[in-house]
Amino acid sequence: MQSVDRSVGWKSFTIVEADGRVHEGADRFLALHDGSGTQRTYAYCLVDHLRWCVREGLAPGRVTLRDLERYMGAVGAKIPGPLGVPWRVGKRPYGDSALSTAAACLKGFYLEQAKSGVNRALAEELDRSRLPTRADRRRRLLGHVTGRVAANPLAPQRVRRRHPKMLPEGAKEKLLPVLTYARDRLVVQWLADGGLRIGELCGLHLADLHLRSDAACGECRSPHVHVCRRHDNPNDALAKGRVPWSVEDGTVIGGLIKRVSPAMVHAYFDYIVGERRTVAAGHELLLVQLAGPGIGQAWAPAAARGMLRRAGRRAGLGRVRPHMFRHSFATAVLEASGGNLVVAREAGGWASTAMVDEIYAHVDLHDLAFDAALRTVWGQR
């Protein structure tokens, strides 16, 4: 896989063969996703599949649906029959999410190949449809009139994800004392209270922070931040959402608006006054490196993940990942709002309530309200 710096400020990804030539089929397919995080993910999936094809002696025009099923089995899917020679020896198999991504990538790649006349028979087998589910209808505009939706024969059976891995009880309070820098305490506080993704946090610019009431943007009366998707961040941090944003008279307008807590504001001022102001930074990103040869440079998401991993071990919490904060935040908001999916969706910045419902809207079997409801049905009260 090869990355290409674009003049417009973002990176594109393509696949290069062993002799240095660009793989034309892969390049055409990846170009459909230019400028998005999906392109990079698909490039990683596709290069692994193409290497497997080389090992199996399969040209794109000779690949069959059974071959694709064997590949999915080789990377972790449950399929009937032999898989052939082991693949990715010593590496962990893909999880459900990665398998779904790989299935979507392979289907898209071979459908695009068929447009050029390559392996049309395989494309016909992949180009299937099914009846829509209730969730499909909710996600679509005019979903109530939808008759058929696309299906993927390679996709694993959908598993309803419940009880995601969250932070241990009191994790924030245990992490903060073991952190040396105010910047690191800001990261923990903002992840815990804001439910931000790590790419969103590391991609924040100072202009995105409207931490006073009645800010000039006029879009939220309370202190808040604007999460804006930028492709030219020097640390390659990229927000997931695609909410339009702009700068009007020096004020950021639009983007994903997220409210901030008083503790987040205090952590910000501790960091700005005590650390960031003393570092000469040639950029406007919020988080900067505070030591080492790269002092003053934009702090990358990978560095933030490493900091949390080390802090978790010092605090006796084991490995701490940034997304654990988001899981804990969403669950806490859902419980505090009485199960209001719309409130949880807006607080976390999800595109639909279906995602919140599927992952977080579970009930504690020992909850008093759950127990009372059952006893009422049983006629015991």
Side-chain angles (χ1 to χ4, degrees), residues 114-182:
K115 293 179 182 178
S116 302
V118 179
N119 211 340
R120 290 177 176 171
L122 175 59
E124 291 177 2
E125 292 186 90
L126 291 172
D127 194 15
R128 299 181 184 178
S129 62
R130 58 174 173 79
L131 293 174
T133 63
R134 184 178 300 175
D136 293 325
R137 296 184 187 278
R138 281 203 305 264
R139 293 190 187 102
R140 293 168 176 263
L141 181 65
L142 300 178
H144 60 286
V145 300
T146 300
R148 305 289 296 182
V149 296
N152 190 343
L154 301 175
Q157 184 175 2
R158 188 169 179 82
V159 178
R160 289 186 63 84
R161 295 177 291 169
R162 296 287 186 177
H163 301 281
K165 187 170 184 179
M166 296 183 291
L167 291 167
E169 192 72 26
K172 182 178 72 172
E173 290 71 21
K174 294 178 181 178
L175 283 171
L176 291 175
V178 304
L179 298 172
T180 303
Y181 294 115

Side-chain angles (χ1 to χ4, degrees), residues 31 49 63 72 84 124 142 148 160 183 220 224 226 254 258 273 296 302 307 319 334 349:
H49 171 67
V63 176
M72 293 296 294
E124 291 177 2
L142 300 178
R148 305 289 296 182
R160 289 186 63 84
R183 176 204 60 195
C220 182
H224 60 279
H226 295 255
K258 296 181 72 72
V273 174
M307 179 275 293
R319 182 163 185 170
L334 198 61

